[in-house]
Amino acid sequence: MLAFDVDKIRQDFPILQVKVQGKPLVYLDNAASTQKPKQIIQRLSEFYSTEYSSVHRGIHRLSEQATENFEKSREKIRRFLNAKQVSEIVFVRGTTEAINLVAQTYGRRYIQSSDEIIISHMEHHANIVPWQLLCEATGAKLRIIPINDDGELIFEKYVELLNKKTKLVALCHVSNTLGTINPIKQVIVLAHANNIPVLIDGAQAVAHQRVDVQDLDCDFYCFSGHKLFAPTGIGVLYGKQHLFESMPPYQGGGNMITEVRLEKSSFREAPYKFEAGTPHIAGVIGLGAAIDYLDQFNFSAIQAYEKELLDYAMSQLTALPGLQVIGTAKEKVAILNFIVHDNLGKRIHGHDISDILNSEVGVAVRAGQHCTMPLLQRFQVDSTVRASLAFYNTKHDIDQLIQGIQIVQTLFNK
């Protein structure tokens, strides 16, 4: 494995060399989407330039080659997650579609009007709305694990919520707004002791730590490629083989069938019965290339470096007067969520902060509700600013953020 050298890593990301309004880009919106290294960009160009064809159904060399590379990516993802077999890896458009797939297949088959589904107060809308829709359709009830003021699950409340009516637990591995790392292994152990399956939204976890689905023993795990340095429009749903076998198809169309008659159709085994139509072939190959890229590095070194960045950023932010960090869990990734006040105690709108950071110091952050409206309501705010770091960020990037916030406060304190 390569030694961790952030300056060398930054050279792999062409966009980090560009300027925003004449200033070097400082990209701190990684929780929304990560930037792409040149290796993935080049691999996509190569595929479209010399290899492109549809997959699985063509009896010619280009199609056979594309199919081979497509399925090699599935195997790379199996190894990346340490799944038992490739049939447990389904390609979807992203985390959102993965959760909807489980809700509309597993959920429709097994969840009834007297049942309950448990989620937490920190979930992304993608892990709330599909379950609300399922509950509306079936009459089931959604139960919520509360969180404390640091943004951590109140575990004893989770224990209290579990009962014979509980038929599924769906929880984020890492909060996209707070950065909180949830104790998902303990959550899973307790759920399984009650014969309850668990779905984990891993969208914010896979770029920051190794995920071993066999060690976790989760029943479903999903993530989006674009948050893992890969293209948009591609994602993964892992599911235990016996669960996939029991679930009906999600969509109908080509590739997912063995035979179609006007009266009735029959379907392929998983994963293909969940992959109707022509897939995002380039996205799958790009995701495989992203995993190849990440396999160069020791994830422990990445985690240690990002923890160093997080500690530095927290020390700098909390030293600023009028700034309040929301999300101070003891276990968290490098996501910094905050609000800023002027010297009269009035909160400065996040959109104003984001605009000034962009124009004055070239810093890209996210401002708003981060697809977590119930979470922000829990903290009695309508929007926040989120700076989220990746392993190509530096302390200098954080210094630029701090400088930008000081400019904001100077402008609003006049």
PDB file of all heavy atoms in Angstrom, residues 273-297:
ATOM      1  N   LYS A 273     -32.566  -9.959 -11.017  1.00  0.00           N
ATOM      2  CA  LYS A 273     -34.000  -9.682 -11.018  1.00  0.00           C
ATOM      3  C   LYS A 273     -34.325  -8.289 -10.490  1.00  0.00           C
ATOM      4  O   LYS A 273     -35.441  -7.798 -10.677  1.00  0.00           O
ATOM      5  CB  LYS A 273     -34.755 -10.734 -10.202  1.00  0.00           C
ATOM      6  CG  LYS A 273     -34.545 -10.696  -8.698  1.00  0.00           C
ATOM      7  CD  LYS A 273     -35.437 -11.738  -8.025  1.00  0.00           C
ATOM      8  CE  LYS A 273     -35.210 -11.791  -6.522  1.00  0.00           C
ATOM      9  NZ  LYS A 273     -36.086 -12.791  -5.866  1.00  0.00           N
ATOM     10  N   PHE A 274     -33.323  -7.638  -9.851  1.00  0.00           N
ATOM     11  CA  PHE A 274     -33.511  -6.267  -9.363  1.00  0.00           C
ATOM     12  C   PHE A 274     -32.867  -5.223 -10.284  1.00  0.00           C
ATOM     13  O   PHE A 274     -32.818  -4.050  -9.950  1.00  0.00           O
ATOM     14  CB  PHE A 274     -32.915  -6.124  -7.964  1.00  0.00           C
ATOM     15  CG  PHE A 274     -33.519  -7.046  -6.941  1.00  0.00           C
ATOM     16  CD1 PHE A 274     -32.749  -8.014  -6.326  1.00  0.00           C
ATOM     17  CD2 PHE A 274     -34.862  -6.960  -6.613  1.00  0.00           C
ATOM     18  CE1 PHE A 274     -33.297  -8.874  -5.384  1.00  0.00           C
ATOM     19  CE2 PHE A 274     -35.428  -7.806  -5.670  1.00  0.00           C
ATOM     20  CZ  PHE A 274     -34.639  -8.775  -5.056  1.00  0.00           C
ATOM     21  N   GLU A 275     -32.347  -5.652 -11.435  1.00  0.00           N
ATOM     22  CA  GLU A 275     -31.621  -4.740 -12.323  1.00  0.00           C
ATOM     23  C   GLU A 275     -32.272  -4.704 -13.703  1.00  0.00           C
ATOM     24  O   GLU A 275     -31.695  -5.108 -14.716  1.00  0.00           O
ATOM     25  CB  GLU A 275     -30.149  -5.166 -12.428  1.00  0.00           C
ATOM     26  CG  GLU A 275     -29.408  -5.068 -11.105  1.00  0.00           C
ATOM     27  CD  GLU A 275     -27.965  -5.555 -11.167  1.00  0.00           C
ATOM     28  OE1 GLU A 275     -27.532  -6.059 -12.229  1.00  0.00           O
ATOM     29  OE2 GLU A 275     -27.268  -5.451 -10.147  1.00  0.00           O
ATOM     30  N   ALA A 276     -33.487  -4.201 -13.747  1.00  0.00           N
ATOM     31  CA  ALA A 276     -34.232  -4.146 -15.004  1.00  0.00           C
ATOM     32  C   ALA A 276     -33.654  -3.105 -15.949  1.00  0.00           C
ATOM     33  O   ALA A 276     -33.259  -2.018 -15.533  1.00  0.00           O
ATOM     34  CB  ALA A 276     -35.701  -3.826 -14.721  1.00  0.00           C
ATOM     35  N   GLY A 277     -33.619  -3.444 -17.236  1.00  0.00           N
ATOM     36  CA  GLY A 277     -33.196  -2.486 -18.262  1.00  0.00           C
ATOM     37  C   GLY A 277     -31.690  -2.375 -18.402  1.00  0.00           C
ATOM     38  O   GLY A 277     -30.922  -3.027 -17.704  1.00  0.00           O
ATOM     39  N   THR A 278     -31.283  -1.507 -19.329  1.00  0.00           N
ATOM     40  CA  THR A 278     -29.856  -1.269 -19.526  1.00  0.00           C
ATOM     41  C   THR A 278     -29.302  -0.494 -18.325  1.00  0.00           C
ATOM     42  O   THR A 278     -29.800   0.585 -18.007  1.00  0.00           O
ATOM     43  CB  THR A 278     -29.607  -0.462 -20.813  1.00  0.00           C
ATOM     44  OG1 THR A 278     -30.140  -1.191 -21.920  1.00  0.00           O
ATOM     45  CG2 THR A 278     -28.120  -0.221 -21.024  1.00  0.00           C
ATOM     46  N   PRO A 279     -28.308  -1.009 -17.660  1.00  0.00           N
ATOM     47  CA  PRO A 279     -27.800  -0.358 -16.446  1.00  0.00           C
ATOM     48  C   PRO A 279     -26.883   0.817 -16.770  1.00  0.00           C
ATOM     49  O   PRO A 279     -26.566   1.083 -17.940  1.00  0.00           O
ATOM     50  CB  PRO A 279     -27.028  -1.479 -15.752  1.00  0.00           C
ATOM     51  CG  PRO A 279     -26.535  -2.334 -16.889  1.00  0.00           C
ATOM     52  CD  PRO A 279     -27.614  -2.282 -17.939  1.00  0.00           C
ATOM     53  N   HIS A 280     -26.449   1.497 -15.724  1.00  0.00           N
ATOM     54  CA  HIS A 280     -25.471   2.581 -15.865  1.00  0.00           C
ATOM     55  C   HIS A 280     -24.086   1.928 -15.962  1.00  0.00           C
ATOM     56  O   HIS A 280     -23.341   1.862 -14.992  1.00  0.00           O
ATOM     57  CB  HIS A 280     -25.565   3.512 -14.657  1.00  0.00           C
ATOM     58  CG  HIS A 280     -24.700   4.730 -14.741  1.00  0.00           C
ATOM     59  ND1 HIS A 280     -23.934   5.053 -15.847  1.00  0.00           N
ATOM     60  CD2 HIS A 280     -24.458   5.714 -13.832  1.00  0.00           C
ATOM     61  CE1 HIS A 280     -23.270   6.168 -15.621  1.00  0.00           C
ATOM     62  NE2 HIS A 280     -23.568   6.581 -14.399  1.00  0.00           N
ATOM     63  N   ILE A 281     -23.759   1.471 -17.167  1.00  0.00           N
ATOM     64  CA  ILE A 281     -22.557   0.651 -17.364  1.00  0.00           C
ATOM     65  C   ILE A 281     -21.294   1.428 -17.012  1.00  0.00           C
ATOM     66  O   ILE A 281     -20.434   0.944 -16.263  1.00  0.00           O
ATOM     67  CB  ILE A 281     -22.484   0.158 -18.832  1.00  0.00           C
ATOM     68  CG1 ILE A 281     -23.780  -0.552 -19.210  1.00  0.00           C
ATOM     69  CG2 ILE A 281     -21.294  -0.777 -19.023  1.00  0.00           C
ATOM     70  CD1 ILE A 281     -23.967  -0.741 -20.693  1.00  0.00           C
ATOM     71  N   ALA A 282     -21.185   2.638 -17.524  1.00  0.00           N
ATOM     72  CA  ALA A 282     -20.001   3.447 -17.239  1.00  0.00           C
ATOM     73  C   ALA A 282     -19.904   3.749 -15.743  1.00  0.00           C
ATOM     74  O   ALA A 282     -18.806   3.781 -15.174  1.00  0.00           O
ATOM     75  CB  ALA A 282     -20.041   4.741 -18.040  1.00  0.00           C
ATOM     76  N   GLY A 283     -21.050   3.968 -15.102  1.00  0.00           N
ATOM     77  CA  GLY A 283     -21.048   4.228 -13.668  1.00  0.00           C
ATOM     78  C   GLY A 283     -20.517   3.054 -12.882  1.00  0.00           C
ATOM     79  O   GLY A 283     -19.747   3.214 -11.929  1.00  0.00           O
ATOM     80  N   VAL A 284     -20.930   1.857 -13.278  1.00  0.00           N
ATOM     81  CA  VAL A 284     -20.450   0.650 -12.601  1.00  0.00           C
ATOM     82  C   VAL A 284     -18.949   0.485 -12.789  1.00  0.00           C
ATOM     83  O   VAL A 284     -18.204   0.195 -11.835  1.00  0.00           O
ATOM     84  CB  VAL A 284     -21.205  -0.590 -13.118  1.00  0.00           C
ATOM     85  CG1 VAL A 284     -20.541  -1.878 -12.634  1.00  0.00           C
ATOM     86  CG2 VAL A 284     -22.661  -0.540 -12.672  1.00  0.00           C
ATOM     87  N   ILE A 285     -18.474   0.684 -14.006  1.00  0.00           N
ATOM     88  CA  ILE A 285     -17.043   0.560 -14.271  1.00  0.00           C
ATOM     89  C   ILE A 285     -16.269   1.659 -13.553  1.00  0.00           C
ATOM     90  O   ILE A 285     -15.185   1.430 -13.001  1.00  0.00           O
ATOM     91  CB  ILE A 285     -16.796   0.563 -15.792  1.00  0.00           C
ATOM     92  CG1 ILE A 285     -17.313  -0.759 -16.380  1.00  0.00           C
ATOM     93  CG2 ILE A 285     -15.321   0.769 -16.122  1.00  0.00           C
ATOM     94  CD1 ILE A 285     -17.336  -0.820 -17.877  1.00  0.00           C
ATOM     95  N   GLY A 286     -16.838   2.875 -13.512  1.00  0.00           N
ATOM     96  CA  GLY A 286     -16.205   3.962 -12.768  1.00  0.00           C
ATOM     97  C   GLY A 286     -16.151   3.682 -11.281  1.00  0.00           C
ATOM     98  O   GLY A 286     -15.163   4.014 -10.604  1.00  0.00           O
ATOM     99  N   LEU A 287     -17.206   3.059 -10.738  1.00  0.00           N
ATOM    100  CA  LEU A 287     -17.201   2.695  -9.318  1.00  0.00           C
ATOM    101  C   LEU A 287     -16.141   1.644  -9.038  1.00  0.00           C
ATOM    102  O   LEU A 287     -15.434   1.710  -8.012  1.00  0.00           O
ATOM    103  CB  LEU A 287     -18.592   2.186  -8.912  1.00  0.00           C
ATOM    104  CG  LEU A 287     -18.764   1.734  -7.459  1.00  0.00           C
ATOM    105  CD1 LEU A 287     -18.343   2.823  -6.478  1.00  0.00           C
ATOM    106  CD2 LEU A 287     -20.213   1.315  -7.207  1.00  0.00           C
ATOM    107  N   GLY A 288     -15.999   0.702  -9.943  1.00  0.00           N
ATOM    108  CA  GLY A 288     -14.922  -0.286  -9.788  1.00  0.00           C
ATOM    109  C   GLY A 288     -13.558   0.366  -9.802  1.00  0.00           C
ATOM    110  O   GLY A 288     -12.662   0.000  -9.019  1.00  0.00           O
ATOM    111  N   ALA A 289     -13.387   1.359 -10.660  1.00  0.00           N
ATOM    112  CA  ALA A 289     -12.104   2.077 -10.718  1.00  0.00           C
ATOM    113  C   ALA A 289     -11.865   2.874  -9.446  1.00  0.00           C
ATOM    114  O   ALA A 289     -10.723   2.996  -8.979  1.00  0.00           O
ATOM    115  CB  ALA A 289     -12.085   3.004 -11.946  1.00  0.00           C
ATOM    116  N   ALA A 290     -12.930   3.427  -8.869  1.00  0.00           N
ATOM    117  CA  ALA A 290     -12.786   4.163  -7.607  1.00  0.00           C
ATOM    118  C   ALA A 290     -12.328   3.243  -6.490  1.00  0.00           C
ATOM    119  O   ALA A 290     -11.495   3.616  -5.651  1.00  0.00           O
ATOM    120  CB  ALA A 290     -14.111   4.833  -7.241  1.00  0.00           C
ATOM    121  N   ILE A 291     -12.848   2.021  -6.478  1.00  0.00           N
ATOM    122  CA  ILE A 291     -12.423   1.061  -5.461  1.00  0.00           C
ATOM    123  C   ILE A 291     -10.970   0.652  -5.688  1.00  0.00           C
ATOM    124  O   ILE A 291     -10.188   0.525  -4.732  1.00  0.00           O
ATOM    125  CB  ILE A 291     -13.374  -0.147  -5.456  1.00  0.00           C
ATOM    126  CG1 ILE A 291     -14.722   0.298  -4.879  1.00  0.00           C
ATOM    127  CG2 ILE A 291     -12.798  -1.311  -4.661  1.00  0.00           C
ATOM    128  CD1 ILE A 291     -15.815  -0.712  -4.980  1.00  0.00           C
ATOM    129  N   ASP A 292     -10.572   0.482  -6.953  1.00  0.00           N
ATOM    130  CA  ASP A 292      -9.160   0.233  -7.247  1.00  0.00           C
ATOM    131  C   ASP A 292      -8.291   1.359  -6.701  1.00  0.00           C
ATOM    132  O   ASP A 292      -7.216   1.121  -6.125  1.00  0.00           O
ATOM    133  CB  ASP A 292      -8.937   0.118  -8.758  1.00  0.00           C
ATOM    134  CG  ASP A 292      -9.482  -1.175  -9.343  1.00  0.00           C
ATOM    135  OD1 ASP A 292      -9.679  -2.140  -8.577  1.00  0.00           O
ATOM    136  OD2 ASP A 292      -9.713  -1.212 -10.573  1.00  0.00           O
ATOM    137  N   TYR A 293      -8.738   2.581  -6.894  1.00  0.00           N
ATOM    138  CA  TYR A 293      -7.980   3.745  -6.425  1.00  0.00           C
ATOM    139  C   TYR A 293      -7.851   3.718  -4.900  1.00  0.00           C
ATOM    140  O   TYR A 293      -6.762   3.889  -4.349  1.00  0.00           O
ATOM    141  CB  TYR A 293      -8.666   5.030  -6.880  1.00  0.00           C
ATOM    142  CG  TYR A 293      -7.976   6.291  -6.404  1.00  0.00           C
ATOM    143  CD1 TYR A 293      -6.814   6.735  -7.020  1.00  0.00           C
ATOM    144  CD2 TYR A 293      -8.481   7.010  -5.327  1.00  0.00           C
ATOM    145  CE1 TYR A 293      -6.160   7.881  -6.577  1.00  0.00           C
ATOM    146  CE2 TYR A 293      -7.850   8.153  -4.883  1.00  0.00           C
ATOM    147  CZ  TYR A 293      -6.684   8.582  -5.504  1.00  0.00           C
ATOM    148  OH  TYR A 293      -6.036   9.721  -5.048  1.00  0.00           O
ATOM    149  N   LEU A 294      -8.946   3.476  -4.208  1.00  0.00           N
ATOM    150  CA  LEU A 294      -8.924   3.480  -2.746  1.00  0.00           C
ATOM    151  C   LEU A 294      -8.130   2.313  -2.186  1.00  0.00           C
ATOM    152  O   LEU A 294      -7.557   2.415  -1.091  1.00  0.00           O
ATOM    153  CB  LEU A 294     -10.346   3.443  -2.205  1.00  0.00           C
ATOM    154  CG  LEU A 294     -11.148   4.732  -2.373  1.00  0.00           C
ATOM    155  CD1 LEU A 294     -12.600   4.508  -1.993  1.00  0.00           C
ATOM    156  CD2 LEU A 294     -10.550   5.853  -1.544  1.00  0.00           C
ATOM    157  N   ASP A 295      -8.082   1.218  -2.921  1.00  0.00           N
ATOM    158  CA  ASP A 295      -7.352   0.044  -2.441  1.00  0.00           C
ATOM    159  C   ASP A 295      -5.847   0.289  -2.328  1.00  0.00           C
ATOM    160  O   ASP A 295      -5.130  -0.510  -1.718  1.00  0.00           O
ATOM    161  CB  ASP A 295      -7.606  -1.152  -3.362  1.00  0.00           C
ATOM    162  CG  ASP A 295      -8.930  -1.854  -3.050  1.00  0.00           C
ATOM    163  OD1 ASP A 295      -9.483  -1.601  -1.963  1.00  0.00           O
ATOM    164  OD2 ASP A 295      -9.396  -2.645  -3.891  1.00  0.00           O
ATOM    165  N   GLN A 296      -5.376   1.389  -2.913  1.00  0.00           N
ATOM    166  CA  GLN A 296      -3.954   1.737  -2.761  1.00  0.00           C
ATOM    167  C   GLN A 296      -3.603   2.134  -1.330  1.00  0.00           C
ATOM    168  O   GLN A 296      -2.459   2.064  -0.927  1.00  0.00           O
ATOM    169  CB  GLN A 296      -3.600   2.938  -3.640  1.00  0.00           C
ATOM    170  CG  GLN A 296      -3.838   2.801  -5.111  1.00  0.00           C
ATOM    171  CD  GLN A 296      -3.529   4.123  -5.789  1.00  0.00           C
ATOM    172  OE1 GLN A 296      -2.389   4.361  -6.197  1.00  0.00           O
ATOM    173  NE2 GLN A 296      -4.518   4.985  -5.879  1.00  0.00           N
ATOM    174  N   PHE A 297      -4.609   2.609  -0.599  1.00  0.00           N
ATOM    175  CA  PHE A 297      -4.359   3.266   0.676  1.00  0.00           C
ATOM    176  C   PHE A 297      -4.786   2.407   1.859  1.00  0.00           C
ATOM    177  O   PHE A 297      -5.653   1.549   1.752  1.00  0.00           O
ATOM    178  CB  PHE A 297      -5.111   4.604   0.734  1.00  0.00           C
ATOM    179  CG  PHE A 297      -4.816   5.523  -0.411  1.00  0.00           C
ATOM    180  CD1 PHE A 297      -5.766   5.772  -1.391  1.00  0.00           C
ATOM    181  CD2 PHE A 297      -3.573   6.129  -0.530  1.00  0.00           C
ATOM    182  CE1 PHE A 297      -5.495   6.608  -2.453  1.00  0.00           C
ATOM    183  CE2 PHE A 297      -3.291   6.963  -1.592  1.00  0.00           C
ATOM    184  CZ  PHE A 297      -4.252   7.210  -2.562  1.00  0.00           C
TER     185      PHE A 297
END
